[in-house]
Amino acid sequence: MPSNDLDLLRGTFDLLLLKTLSRGPMHGLAVLRWIESATRDRLQIEEGALYPALHRLEQRGWLEAEWGYTDKGRRAKYYQLTPAGRRQLAAELSKWSRYSEAVRLVLTTDGAR
Amino acid sequence: MNDRWHGLRRVFRLALGRGRSVQDEIGEELRFHLDERIEELMDQGLSRSQAEREARARFGDLKQVGRQLQRIDQRTARREARGEAFRAFARDLRFGVRALGRHPGFATAAILTLGLGMGATGSIYTLLKRVVLDPLPYPAAERLVRLRNPVPGVEKSGEWNLSTAQYWHYQQLVPELDAIGLYGRYGLNAAASGEPRRAQAAQVTASMMNLLGAHAFQGRLLDSNDDRPGAPAVAVLAYGFWRAALGGHDHLVGTSIRLNDEPVTIVGIMAPGIELPRDRGETLADHADVWLAMRLDPAGPFYNNHVYRVIGRLRPGAPLDAAQRRIDGLQAGLPQAFPNAYSDKFFQRYRFHTVLHPLQRYVVGDMARNLWILFGAVGLVLLIACANVANLLLARLESRRQELGVRSAIGARRGDIAREAFAEAMVLALAGALVALALSLGTTRWLVALSPPDIPRLEVVGVDGQTLLFLLGLALAIALALAAVPAVKYRNLSGLAGLGDGGRSGTASLRRQRLRAGLVVAQMAFALMLVVGSGLLVRSFRRLRAVDPGIDPRGVLTLEWFLPYQRYDSLSKVWRFHAAVLDRIRAVPGVLAAGASEELPLLTGFGCTVQGFEEPVVYDRIKEAGLTTCAGQAPTTPGYFEALGIPLVAGRYFTADDNTAPERGAVIVTKAFAQRFWPGENPLGKGVSPNGRAKPPFYHVVGVVGDLHGSAVDEPPAIGIFYPIMAMPGSGRWYPSGMHVVIRVARGDPLALLATVRRAVNEADPSIPIANAESMQTLVRRSMGRLSFVMLLLGIAGAVALGLAAIGLYGLIAFVVARRRKEIGVRIALGAEPRQVEGLVVGGALRLAGLGLAIGLAGAVASARVLRGLLFGVAPWDPAAWLGSVLVLLAVAGVAGWIPARRAARVDPVRALREE
């Protein structure tokens, strides 16, 4: 279901996932919850898109997955960054800041003519 | 490492296609997500069923996500499995390298042996692929055919080309051919702006452009408008000629070039790489430099002149036999359609008919058989080399019996040991392949340089990706075979009695080394095949060289010049040129003789022009014998026979008077000519006339020269008749085209005379270029090139095979001797003479060799039969070759056994018995 707040591009989605997981291993639901809480519910992630995204990142070698147990004792699949994933995160972060800076420049330049 | 192991297990499960586990995991992951969400929602107050509905709704299409995840995970699994397989393979290779590194001597010997065998095979394969297997570079090459006319009534094996009458006839009446083209090749003098050069012209019908798949690099190609009689003369230049001779300048299209003093407009430049197919029997490489239009007139006139080369293309779906049958049926119509050119009597006398050859087979010809023979030979060498390496491996394993016994006792699986063996063998084979690649690069170039010039398509031979693939495939096969050897021998690991007696059995004997002995026997058998083949070829070659070529080629320079008809339109002009230039050349100090003729022995082939005879009895005689009255006819200057060292059998040579007073009508014939037409009679004074006229005036024979050979010394002697340059008034005319000039020098390199000859020609006419200058000895050597090429390579293969087999035998005997030191010590202690011990060992070696010879006999007979086509003056069962081969093999085996035998004889019995 598309969110009525902000739609999300795939590339940015991957960036958010990588950044979230940089804080430590989490299972998919935890990633979701963390993003929602960090953006104060402004960003709604499509739940169906989460797992394919996580699995693709695993396929590309940026995440690795391992089965573990939650504190409630249930089995869950935990994801964490690989060293290659860390490098990719750094690269994406710098790309993102350059992009957002460029957009900001365009938007804040006095353009009323 | 726990998670690694876990991940690995999952990967292997996935890779084996047991997708259920993937599905299980995906299901569990998604289940977890939903369950947590449901709990959340229930905590917020919904009922279970409401919570479930809400959670599912929020998630989206569960099934679709599941399928997506499955696809992604399977791809991941496959990728990881591949990576893991590579890593495992790399691990095995590293292990193999380490294991071999502990025995560098063994490894080096094995790698070099394999590299030698594989390299030789790779080189010959490269040659074979390029010359024989690759399709010709023309579109629809498999449908192209070459038309030829066998004339068994004239010559048993030769075939003639076609007449223009046949071309037009078949073009109209053979629907099985969707294209047909005609062409001829000849030399001419080409001059653009600078000095005139000799160039090769190809005169073609416009249809040839399509048949060859030609396209233009600049300008346009010849088309049907250029090909009409009376059309303006145009030319297309070959790319190579344009660059080399004309400097590769742009803007040449549209300008004019002088060909034989006639201006011709250049309309285009051919793209590089377009060539006419090679013709059988051409000994010199021929590239077309200039392409001209044939401009045939479909209205004739038509002559019985079979010099044109014709290629056709079968319609898709039309089989060759259908076209052949059609052409056979059309033959009867030829005399009716072209009465001037053909008569029924012609077909009867000459037994003339037309055949279609698939073009590829025609171009490659005999070379295919020769290259396959060589491929078989290097294949045998490779087998012998592999047997040697297998023996080395077995020897090494023998000394590791104790280790292997221990390992098997503590639970090493046969599979692991097999994998190790395979890894080692793979490392050896791959290293051998690398050595082979390097070797192939070098030897291929050497082979091409060495090969006879009439091997087709050799210009484009080079080691390439396909050779590499071949070598890698070979390496894999060899690795499997080598790994199988110890695996077969040590099938039953637990049966190793190695543990008890410290790994050394005191009763090791040849009988126990059955596998190794078997390999050595096989090596000897293969070596026999190669040595017998080499022996037969060597004897053939010596027979060939002993044949009198009819000339004395030492110190003779030969070259060609061509007088264009435009300026030399009468025989007296031709004679004046030759007289002037040859006199100038003869005046040079050191020149013993000089002359020229249209034919050159061992090169031009001495064609077949009908002669007329004054005595009618000659015709009866010829008809009875089923022959024809044609002979090789050549206008010749004085000095020609003397320069070539052709002996005079009767009468005299030519003099200048024969040309200044041509009414005397003097001719000279070869001995074979005299024997065929006037057997048992004195040929001097007999009457002959050229060009088929049996009417006066007749020439008369003034001299008979010794036998000559037209193209090769293993042909029957040529039927040749030599006329003076100037024709008898009222007799048949001719026009000498390219003249072959021969000059004999007293000492030194004949080629050093070239500049002087050039000057002499320039003084007479600076626009005449000289071509194809070389020493006669080179030519003679080249005419024997084919046999000597195969002989040389087969001889090398035989020598290498013999060497490898000897090494193999030596290795086995030495091993057994070392193993039996105790027993030998006992024998000597009990009174055996050293000579007896030696005899025992050498006897063992000879027995093995003898067994190999006996087994190899059948193979050697087969290989002799295969070589039959190459033998000259030697039968496949030639006793000298066979006896020699067997003796050589036994002698080599004896030496291989004698070296360890001496060591055995010197064993100190005390020391030997004390050893453990």
Side-chain angles (χ1 to χ4, degrees):
Chain A
M1 276 174 302
S3 134
N4 46 13
D5 271 31
L6 300 168
D7 274 344
L8 214 47
L9 297 169
R10 242 272 277 289
T12 337
F13 191 21
D14 286 351
L15 176 58
L16 291 181
L17 293 178
L18 287 176
K19 178 65 184 164
T20 309
L21 285 167
S22 72
R23 309 178 71 253
M26 294 184 206
H27 56 69
L29 190 55
V31 172
L32 211 55
R33 285 182 183 145
W34 195 87
I35 293 181
E36 283 171 356
S37 79
T39 64
R40 289 183 261 281
D41 275 347
R42 271 195 284 254
L43 209 49
Q44 295 278 5
I45 308 276
E46 194 181 328
E47 291 194 16
L50 170 68
Y51 286 99
L54 284 172
H55 279 232
R56 272 194 214 101
L57 290 175
E58 182 190 3
Q59 181 187 65
R60 300 181 75 164
W62 295 334
L63 296 180
E64 58 188 3
E66 183 175 26
W67 283 90
Y69 291 90
T70 65
D71 29 356
K72 286 200 220 126
R74 306 184 66 172
R75 238 168 76 93
K77 192 170 178 187
Y78 283 81
Y79 293 89
Q80 66 179 355
L81 282 185
T82 62
R86 260 171 231 291
R87 286 195 295 273
Q88 180 69 12
L89 174 60
E92 289 287 321
L93 276 175
S94 92
K95 215 165 63 171
W96 170 262
S97 65
R98 278 193 309 247
Y99 171 75
S100 61
E101 179 61 23
V103 169
R104 187 190 71 80
L105 282 175
V106 170
L107 293 179
T108 55
T109 306
D110 192 337
R113 225 171 272 268
Chain B
M1 278 300 114
N2 199 10
D3 46 335
R4 273 251 168 272
W5 193 228
H6 180 94
L8 214 58
R9 269 200 298 203
R10 190 187 101 185
V11 158
F12 272 111
R13 264 184 279 131
L14 293 174
L16 292 172
R18 293 200 243 150
R20 267 198 65 80
S21 283
V22 175
Q23 260 179 331
D24 286 347
E25 291 204 351
I26 292 171
E28 198 171 345
E29 188 176 16
L30 297 179
R31 178 88 252 150
F32 168 81
H33 181 105
L34 283 174
D35 284 348
E36 290 282 313
R37 274 290 193 225
I38 289 170
E39 268 190 36
E40 251 179 44
L41 291 168
M42 278 168 58
D43 285 343
Q44 291 172 11
L46 275 74
S47 77
R48 171 156 276 268
S49 49
Q50 277 177 318
E52 277 187 19
R53 256 202 317 275
E54 177 65 20
R56 264 178 220 260
R58 275 223 261 173
F59 190 89
D61 187 343
L62 205 59
K63 273 218 184 66
Q64 193 203 31
V65 172
R67 277 199 298 272
Q68 254 185 318
L69 293 180
Q70 185 149 358
R71 269 201 308 274
I72 298 174
D73 277 358
Q74 276 176 339
R75 211 174 303 156
T76 312
R78 272 199 294 274
R79 201 174 293 183
E80 260 184 71
R82 269 201 301 272
E84 186 51 40
F86 274 132
R87 278 193 295 275
F89 186 61
R91 259 201 313 273
D92 280 345
L93 283 186
R94 266 202 306 275
F95 175 86
V97 170
R98 262 202 311 271
L100 289 171
R102 272 178 261 135
H103 300 94
F106 158 77
T108 319
I111 291 173
L112 285 181
T113 311
L114 286 179
L116 186 69
M118 290 168 73
T121 315
S123 297
I124 300 289
Y125 171 76
T126 305
L127 225 60
L128 192 66
K129 191 180 75 70
R130 237 5 189 122
V131 173
V132 178
L133 298 176
D134 279 351
L136 293 174
Y138 308 123
E142 68 283 358
R143 285 191 279 129
L144 292 176
V145 293
R146 178 68 197 264
L147 284 82
R148 295 272 276 176
N149 292 320
V151 280
V154 177
E155 29 182 318
K156 284 202 188 51
S157 54
E159 289 175 337
W160 287 357
N161 285 309
L162 268 64
S163 64
T164 54
Q166 284 178 295
Y167 171 73
W168 289 116
H169 204 63
Y170 299 147
Q171 192 203 43
Q172 290 178 325
L173 299 174
V174 182
E176 284 84 357
L177 294 175
D178 72 6
I180 187 170
L182 178 145
Y183 64 99
R185 269 178 162 149
Y186 56 91
L188 44 71
N189 303 334
S193 45
E195 219 190 74
R197 302 169 64 100
R198 191 90 167 126
Q200 287 297 318
Q203 207 171 15
V204 303
T205 56
S207 49
M208 284 299 293
M209 302 280 100
N210 173 279
L211 278 167
L212 296 178
H215 51 282
F217 175 75
Q218 270 185 31
R220 66 171 179 86
L221 296 177
L222 302 169
D223 58 28
S224 42
N225 283 329
D226 304 314
D227 202 17
R228 284 179 291 107
V234 295
V236 173
L237 300 180
Y239 184 83
F241 181 72
W242 169 62
R243 289 199 72 103
L246 300 177
H249 299 307
D250 289 325
H251 313 303
L252 275 178
V253 175
T255 64
S256 128
I257 183 175
R258 297 185 73 79
L259 299 175
N260 280 351
D261 292 332
E262 252 187 59
V264 171
T265 314
I266 302 175
V267 295
I269 309 216
M270 187 80 83
I274 311 286
E275 289 290 350
L276 289 168
R278 252 253 176 82
D279 218 350
R280 255 189 214 168
E282 276 172 12
T283 47
L284 289 179
D286 244 352
H287 298 289
D289 295 318
V290 180
W291 299 77
L292 304 169
M294 201 76 201
R295 294 189 283 173
L296 287 179
D297 189 348
F302 300 109
Y303 301 112
N304 189 302
N305 196 11
H306 298 91
V307 296
Y308 299 99
R309 310 175 197 207
V310 175
I311 294 182
R313 188 173 55 214
L314 293 169
R315 193 171 293 283
L320 190 88
D321 329 326
Q324 179 71 62
R325 276 195 302 272
R326 171 87 57 187
I327 286 187
D328 291 338
L330 287 175
Q331 179 155 299
L334 279 172
Q336 201 177 11
F338 308 98
N340 196 32
Y342 291 104
S343 65
D344 290 311
K345 218 165 45 155
F346 168 77
F347 290 112
Q348 277 173 359
R349 292 272 300 285
Y350 289 57
R351 287 189 276 144
F352 175 102
H353 56 284
T354 310
V355 297
L356 298 171
H357 296 285
L359 188 61
Q360 175 142 2
R361 208 182 307 158
Y362 178 79
V363 167
V364 173
D366 270 348
M367 218 45 219
R369 178 202 58 191
N370 294 346
L371 285 177
W372 280 115
I373 288 176
L374 287 175
F375 191 65
V378 290
L380 286 177
V381 172
L382 183 62
L383 283 176
I384 295 178
C386 288
N388 258 359
V389 177
N391 260 336
L392 284 175
L393 278 175
L394 284 173
R396 215 157 68 87
L397 271 173
E398 269 293 312
S399 45
R400 287 172 62 197
R401 282 174 89 221
Q402 181 180 20
E403 175 206 333
L404 289 175
V406 168
R407 285 180 64 187
S408 110
I410 57 178
R413 287 195 324 248
R414 218 182 61 212
D416 284 340
I417 301 201
R419 261 185 55 212
E420 280 177 25
F422 181 74
E424 273 189 36
M426 197 68 219
V427 171
L428 286 177
L430 284 177
L434 279 176
V435 171
L437 193 63
L439 205 66
S440 294
L441 283 168
T443 46
T444 308
R445 217 171 317 163
W446 173 74
L447 279 177
V448 170
L450 201 66
S451 57
D454 59 343
I455 293 191
R457 307 165 73 186
L458 213 54
E459 320 78 42
V460 289
V461 162
V463 171
D464 61 3
Q466 285 215 5
T467 312
L468 183 60
L469 280 177
F470 173 75
L471 284 176
L472 285 179
L474 212 57
L476 186 62
I478 290 176
L480 285 172
L482 287 179
V485 163
V488 156
K489 167 127 191 186
Y490 294 106
R491 263 189 317 271
N492 196 4
L493 272 183
S494 55
L496 281 178
L499 283 182
D501 57 16
R504 288 157 136 268
S505 164
T507 56
S509 70
L510 270 179
R511 234 178 299 129
R512 279 205 48 190
Q513 302 292 319
R514 214 168 301 180
L515 185 58
R516 291 190 61 187
L519 284 172
V520 168
V521 165
Q523 287 181 316
M524 283 286 160
F526 292 146
L528 180 69
M529 288 169 66
L530 288 174
V531 173
V532 164
S534 311
L536 287 172
L537 284 186
V538 167
R539 277 179 65 76
S540 292
F541 187 71
R542 293 178 70 183
R543 287 272 165 90
L544 200 65
R545 282 188 54 173
V547 170
D548 181 9
I551 62 178
D552 178 8
R554 292 169 300 178
V556 178
L557 169 68
T558 169
L559 49 93
E560 273 182 63
W561 60 50
F562 176 79
L563 303 181
Y565 183 72
Q566 288 74 7
R567 274 184 299 113
Y568 292 85
D569 49 5
S570 74
L571 285 174
S572 53
K573 289 191 188 158
V574 173
W575 163 247
R576 266 202 300 269
F577 173 87
H578 281 89
V581 177
L582 288 175
D583 277 340
R584 243 182 232 112
I585 293 176
R586 291 186 196 111
V588 172
V591 171
L592 295 174
S597 173
E598 215 178 11
E599 302 280 1
L600 193 65
L602 300 178
L603 184 67
T604 53
F606 280 85
C608 180
T609 312
V610 173
Q611 307 294 307
F613 289 90
E614 190 171 27
E615 296 174 346
V617 61
V618 174
Y619 289 98
D620 303 327
R621 199 180 290 145
I622 288 301
K623 206 191 291 184
E624 260 185 54
L627 299 169
T628 66
T629 57
C630 75
Q633 171 181 307
T636 305
T637 71
Y640 175 77
F641 300 107
E642 298 90 318
L644 277 177
I646 299 175
L648 193 61
V649 171
R652 64 169 178 84
Y653 289 128
F654 279 137
T655 64
D657 289 342
D658 294 318
N659 288 286
T660 52
E663 60 278 5
R664 302 214 313 215
V667 280
I668 295 182
V669 299
T670 62
K671 199 161 84 168
F673 185 105
Q675 277 168 345
R676 172 175 287 198
F677 297 113
W678 306 295
E681 300 172 19
N682 180 8
L684 296 177
K686 297 285 186 183
V688 193
S689 112
N691 296 349
R693 294 160 46 124
K695 298 197 299 252
F698 286 102
Y699 289 76
H700 296 279
V701 177
V702 300
V704 181
V705 290
D707 275 330
L708 299 170
H709 298 273
S711 0
V713 291
D714 52 355
E715 287 174 355
I719 314 283
I721 178 165
F722 300 90
Y723 288 85
I725 301 287
M726 296 287 291
M728 239 173 127
S731 172
R733 315 212 66 76
W734 50 70
Y735 186 76
S737 55
M739 291 289 272
H740 294 268
V741 181
V742 283
I743 306 168
R744 176 174 291 273
V745 297
R747 70 186 66 81
D749 179 14
L751 281 168
L753 205 58
L754 200 52
T756 319
V757 173
R758 177 73 257 164
R759 266 199 306 276
V761 172
N762 269 347
E763 282 166 35
D765 185 343
S767 78
I768 306 291
I770 292 183
N772 296 335
E774 56 183 348
S775 96
M776 199 66 198
Q777 260 177 321
T778 310
L779 206 133
V780 171
R781 219 176 299 135
R782 231 203 340 261
S783 75
M784 300 203 288
R786 246 188 205 193
L787 179 62
S788 65
F789 178 65
V790 179
M791 179 203 78
L792 182 66
L793 292 187
L794 204 60
I796 292 179
V800 170
L802 201 56
L804 286 176
I807 290 175
L809 181 59
Y810 163 80
L812 180 60
I813 302 289
F815 177 85
V816 167
V817 161
R819 278 306 169 85
R820 293 175 69 178
R821 282 174 66 83
K822 242 200 248 175
E823 178 193 332
I824 295 174
V826 168
R827 283 189 192 233
I828 295 186
L830 291 180
E833 294 283 335
R835 189 115 11 112
Q836 280 176 302
V837 173
E838 270 184 39
L840 200 68
V841 176
V842 173
L846 286 178
R847 256 201 313 276
L848 272 184
L851 192 59
L853 290 187
I855 292 179
L857 216 57
V861 168
S863 79
R865 304 264 304 276
V866 161
L867 288 177
R868 171 169 276 165
L870 280 171
L871 299 179
F872 177 75
V874 162
W877 33 264
D878 180 65
W882 278 84
L883 205 59
S885 304
V886 167
L887 287 178
V888 163
L889 230 71
L890 286 176
V892 167
V895 169
W898 181 69
I899 299 175
R902 286 192 44 180
R903 222 182 296 140
R906 294 215 216 91
V907 162
D908 178 356
V910 177
R911 294 241 313 269
L913 286 170
R914 239 192 283 162
E915 274 174 16
E916 183 43 40

